[in-house]
Structures are given as structure tokens and as C-alpha cells.
Amino acid sequence: MLVASRAFGSALRACPCRSACNLPKQFRTEALQRSRHFPVAYRPATRTMASEKDKAQQAAAEGPPAAQQPTIFDKIVSKDIPATILYEDATALAFKDISPQAPVHFLVIPKKKTGLTGLSQATESHEQLLGHLLVVASKVAKQEKLQEGYRVVINDGKEGCQSVYHLHLHLGWPPC
């Protein structure tokens, strides 16, 4: 769900659909969804925290997959599932989210899990990989012209709404 903030408010004023700027805070999201500025394909309010939590609860009930079982991200890395690749090197892959929650929404993942199914599994041995993932996120954000800012999110575990047990960074604009 979109959250009105000072930064987002200034984006609304710059938006060609200026009428949303004068609406009370609680109505801005709905007006934004109808605006020409954000196409219908990006209906951020359709996915709520409740649905994210439901997906995470379901994933947790099924239990984290064994390290040898491939996740959807493993299948994207192996090219068994197509994805719009934005960046790839020997250790990381960045691609557009198949279910975007914002006009710009992409993921950065390590190509090999190496026991890192979530951030809570990180050890000192993962330090270089975790730093590299953030550097890749920065590179792709620049490539996607997000110089004005963006949000990086890592969901971890059942209570953190993690639904795919393969460490991944969400990057998006506007921050939602």
C-alpha cells in the first residue's frame, strides 16, 4: 500500500495529475491508483500487508525448503523460469519482480544460497556476499534511474513476511 510521505507528496505535486495533492491523506492512494501517472498494471494497494503475511504464514507452514530443494529463484538463476534480467555476474542476479508492487520493483539475489535462506542465517562467512548484493542493488538502481531515492527491503522469516526461502533484496520506487 502506498504511504504518503513528504518525499512522495512532492512527487504528487510534480505529477501531471495534480488533483491528488489536495486530497486528504487517506484518499491519496485511491486517487493515485486512478491517475495517469501510475498505470493500472501497478496497483500497489491490491497487495496488502495482510496478504503478504498470509503468504509468509503459508510458506512457514510448509516449512522452509531443504537446502537442496530449488526455490523459484533457483529456477530463475538456472533459466528454467524466464525473467527480465537487469544485472548478472558470477555471484548475483537482479531481475524485475514478476508481481510488481510499484512502478519500479526488482529483486537482487545471490546465485547460490550457500545456506543463506534468510538474513537471520547470515554469518561472518557471508559478509562479502551481503556487501556485494548491496553494491549490485545500487548499480541497478542507478541503471533504472532511481537517483532520487528508493527503498531496499529484506523480509526474513515467518513474522517478517518471507515467502521464498532464498535471501533476496526488494528494491522499489515509490517507497510503498
Side-chain angles (χ1 to χ4, degrees):
M1 193 158 139
L2 292 175
V3 177
S5 68
R6 283 189 193 140
F8 193 66
S10 63
L12 280 173
R13 284 187 287 284
C15 174
C17 306
R18 297 159 102 73
S19 62
C21 297
N22 299 324
L23 291 174
K25 197 174 189 178
Q26 68 267 28
F27 298 117
R28 288 184 185 175
T29 301
E30 185 179 326
L32 207 59
Q33 287 176 351
R34 290 183 304 215
S35 76
R36 293 179 312 242
H37 189 68
F38 291 100
V40 173
Y42 301 110
R43 291 199 175 251
T46 58
R47 184 192 275 185
T48 64
M49 188 58 150
S51 68
E52 285 298 304
K53 194 164 185 174
D54 292 342
K55 286 167 75 177
Q57 301 281 344
Q58 180 182 358
E62 295 168 4
Q68 68 274 15
Q69 290 181 335
T71 66
I72 188 170
F73 297 155
D74 292 315
K75 293 175 184 178
I76 289 172
V77 168
S78 66
K79 310 291 193 252
D80 292 337
I81 294 177
T84 304
I85 307 296
L86 300 172
Y87 177 91
E88 183 171 11
D89 65 21
T91 57
L93 183 70
F95 55 93
K96 290 189 176 183
D97 193 309
I98 59 171
S99 179
Q101 300 306 304
V104 178
H105 186 180
F106 61 91
L107 303 173
V108 178
I109 64 169
K111 285 182 145 183
K112 295 179 183 168
K113 285 185 278 193
T114 61
L116 197 55
T117 57
L119 190 58
S120 59
Q121 305 300 313
T123 65
E124 288 183 18
S125 67
H126 297 112
E127 189 172 341
Q128 186 173 0
L129 173 63
L130 292 169
H132 181 67
L133 293 175
L134 289 171
V135 170
V136 168
S138 175
K139 285 180 184 178
V140 178
K142 287 175 188 157
Q143 175 185 309
E144 294 295 304
K145 301 185 180 5
L146 298 177
Q147 293 89 341
E148 296 298 316
Y150 50 92
R151 181 174 168 184
V152 180
V153 175
I154 300 174
N155 298 335
D156 188 74
K158 176 180 170 182
E159 293 299 316
C161 296
Q162 183 177 7
S163 57
V164 178
Y165 284 85
H166 183 135
L167 179 72
H168 54 286
L169 287 69
H170 293 263
L171 277 87
W173 184 93
C176 40

